[in-house]
């Protein structure tokens, strides 16, 4: 008895895919074949067998399987190590990824004829001298957010200032993951005197400050009273605040506005996945937000992949001129126009 057309197609698909597939993919193909057999009576009798590249078929099935198993989007996927508080190598100086879903900006539409503006902040500067200097030497106006009390904080702040970069304090704040934010942390357990003392010490540790943003902080940025104390101190020092949006429950921007503090929110993390293709996708997302809303804030980290991407991409971005790369203080000025 000769095999049915469906059985023949299944055997052919398995034969073509076997050199490329692991057992999970073969199982997926087998299930697909069984579905073909079930549906065969309703298929046209003269239907042709696909001649697609078997490697491509296997790759597509692998992609589908990964999507089905993960059930999350890129923005929902935490980086390994950081969220669980595991130690990172010196080349991966990153905050715990308590990442809230990136949000579209609540900014005013771009003024007629105005060039959309993008501010790029590089967090976690101060631990690694080589990567820090690479960030300092990036082409164009980039803002450096420096961790206080780190080995190279002062020197990199001075070098960045001399290179025309804007300097921020990357203020460590307590997080819901319970991981250590680092020296000089502001926590939800501190009373007003302790919190203000810690914040003043951190501000004094970094020269040439224009503003601050939070390092981790999913816990603290959701506490209205603590944020009120922070904003009162920032007002005394004439500093702006950028909410890194590590928590969707953050009240930091609202409290800053109520105290007359210039404030922005992060719209995109560039390097949740520190690979060129993923970084580029996030950069395109940031550019799209800027073009639609007039401005955008993107935050990255001193990963080798991020720095290499920006070294190549920033001159191209500035040459195109469709979106203007600016310092955070410039973006704040334009948002108030």
């Amino acid at each position: 008895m000769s095999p049915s057309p469906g059985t023949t197609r299944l055997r052919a698909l398995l034969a073509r895919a076997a050199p490329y597939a692991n057992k999970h993919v073969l199982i997926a193909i087998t299930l697909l074949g069984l579905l073909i057999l079930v549906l065969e009576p309703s298929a046209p009798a003269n239907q042709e067998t696909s001649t697609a590249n078997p490697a491509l078929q296997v790759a597509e099935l692998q992609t589908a399987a990964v999507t089905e198993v993960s059930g999350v989007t890129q923005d929902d996927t935490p980086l390994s190590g950081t969220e669980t508080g595991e130690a990172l190598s010196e080349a991966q100086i990153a905050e715990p990824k308590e990442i809230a879903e990136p949000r579209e900006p609540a900014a005013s539409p771009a003024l007629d004829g105005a060039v959309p503006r993008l501010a790029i902040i590089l967090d976690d500067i101060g631990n690694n001298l080589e990567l820090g200097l690479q960030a300092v030497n990036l082409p164009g106006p980039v803002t450096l957010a420096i961790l206080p009390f780190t080995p190279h904080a002062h020197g990199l702040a001075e070098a960045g200032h001399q290179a025309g970069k804007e300097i921020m304090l990357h203020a460590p704040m307590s997080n819901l993951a319970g991981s250590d934010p680092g020296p000089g942390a502001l926590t939800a357990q501190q009373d007003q005197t302790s919190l203000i003392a810690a914040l003043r010490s951190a501000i004094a540790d970094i020269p040439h400050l224009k503003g601050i943003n939070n390092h981790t902080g999913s816990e603290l940025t959701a506490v209205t009273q603590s944020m009120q104390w922070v904003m009162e101190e920032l007002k005394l020092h004439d500093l702006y605040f950028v909410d890194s949006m590590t928590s969707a429950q953050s009240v930091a921007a609202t409290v800053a506005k109520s105290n007359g503090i210039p404030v922005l929110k992060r719209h995109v993390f560039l390097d949740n996945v520190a690979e060129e293709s993923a970084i580029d996708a996030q950069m395109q997302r940031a550019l799209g937000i800027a073009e639609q809303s007039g401005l955008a804030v993107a935050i990255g980290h001193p990963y080798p992949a991020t720095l290499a991407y920006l070294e190549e991409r920033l001159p191209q971005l500035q040459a195109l001129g469709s979106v203007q790369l600016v310092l955070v203080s410039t973006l704040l000025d334009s948002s108030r126009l």
Side-chain angles (χ1 to χ4, degrees):
M1 179 177 178
S2 60
S4 70
T7 302
T8 300
R9 288 198 299 275
L10 173 58
R11 289 176 178 173
L13 181 59
L14 287 170
R16 287 197 301 271
Y20 308 94
N22 56 36
K23 66 178 182 180
H24 299 292
V25 174
L26 289 175
I27 291 171
I29 294 174
T30 302
L31 293 175
L32 177 61
L34 292 174
L35 179 60
I36 292 173
L37 292 175
V38 171
L39 298 177
E40 184 179 6
S42 62
N46 62 349
Q47 185 176 10
E48 294 183 351
T49 301
S50 170
T51 58
N53 186 321
L56 180 58
Q57 291 175 330
V58 172
E60 290 172 346
L61 283 167
Q62 288 174 324
T63 301
V66 169
T67 302
E68 180 66 26
V69 170
S70 66
V72 295
T73 63
Q74 174 182 307
D75 290 331
D76 296 322
T77 306
L79 280 178
S80 62
T82 50
E83 184 157 315
T84 58
E86 296 173 12
L88 293 173
S89 66
E90 191 178 22
Q92 296 175 300
I93 315 156
E95 61 197 64
K97 293 297 173 190
E98 329 147 274
I99 300 172
E101 178 72 15
R103 301 165 72 179
E104 300 306 307
S108 301
L111 297 174
D112 291 341
V115 177
R117 295 180 172 185
L118 170 67
I120 295 177
I121 301 169
L122 286 183
D123 283 353
D124 298 345
I125 304 295
N127 279 303
N128 186 297
L129 181 59
E130 181 180 356
L131 296 176
L133 288 174
Q134 197 174 347
V136 165
N137 291 319
L138 285 172
V142 174
T143 301
L144 306 179
I146 301 180
L147 288 164
F149 313 114
T150 49
H152 308 290
H154 191 276
L156 289 171
E158 290 287 358
H161 177 69
Q162 292 299 319
K165 303 298 188 284
E166 189 156 290
I167 306 301
M168 298 175 60
L169 167 66
H170 195 37
M173 297 185 185
S174 60
N175 55 78
L176 294 173
S179 59
D180 182 4
L186 312 179
T187 75
Q189 291 70 44
Q190 291 169 329
D191 60 19
Q192 182 176 10
T193 300
S194 300
L195 185 145
I196 293 300
L199 180 55
R200 286 181 181 174
S201 295
I203 289 172
D205 190 60
I206 310 294
H208 309 298
L209 288 185
K210 295 292 186 179
I212 81 168
N213 72 336
N214 52 293
H215 173 64
T216 78
S218 57
E219 180 183 45
L220 192 73
T221 58
V223 180
T224 300
Q225 182 61 77
S226 297
M227 285 294 100
Q228 177 63 29
W229 296 335
V230 168
M231 300 310 164
E232 288 173 358
E233 188 66 18
L234 295 190
K235 194 163 190 175
L236 294 176
H237 295 272
D238 194 24
L239 298 173
Y240 61 71
F241 185 82
V242 174
D243 189 347
S244 300
M245 290 303 298
T246 55
S247 168
Q249 282 69 51
S250 175
V251 298
T254 300
V255 178
K257 288 177 183 177
S258 69
N259 283 272
I261 303 295
V263 62
L264 291 167
K265 293 181 180 181
R266 181 271 307 171
H267 303 124
V268 172
F269 273 127
L270 291 176
D271 47 14
N272 289 351
V273 178
E275 298 174 359
E276 181 180 358
S277 60
I279 295 168
D280 185 64
Q282 290 297 90
M283 174 65 85
Q284 297 307 318
R285 187 165 183 264
L287 294 174
I289 292 172
E291 290 170 350
Q292 179 181 10
S293 301
L295 59 86
V297 177
I299 292 180
H301 301 84
Y303 301 141
T306 306
L307 295 170
Y309 174 83
L310 293 176
E311 285 173 346
E312 179 179 359
R313 185 73 177 92
L314 293 186
Q316 299 170 359
L317 178 63
Q318 295 178 85
L320 288 173
S322 55
V323 173
Q324 183 183 6
L325 182 65
V326 298
L327 300 173
V328 169
S329 58
T330 304
L331 194 61
L332 279 163
D333 290 341
S334 68
S335 70
R336 292 194 293 267
L337 291 176

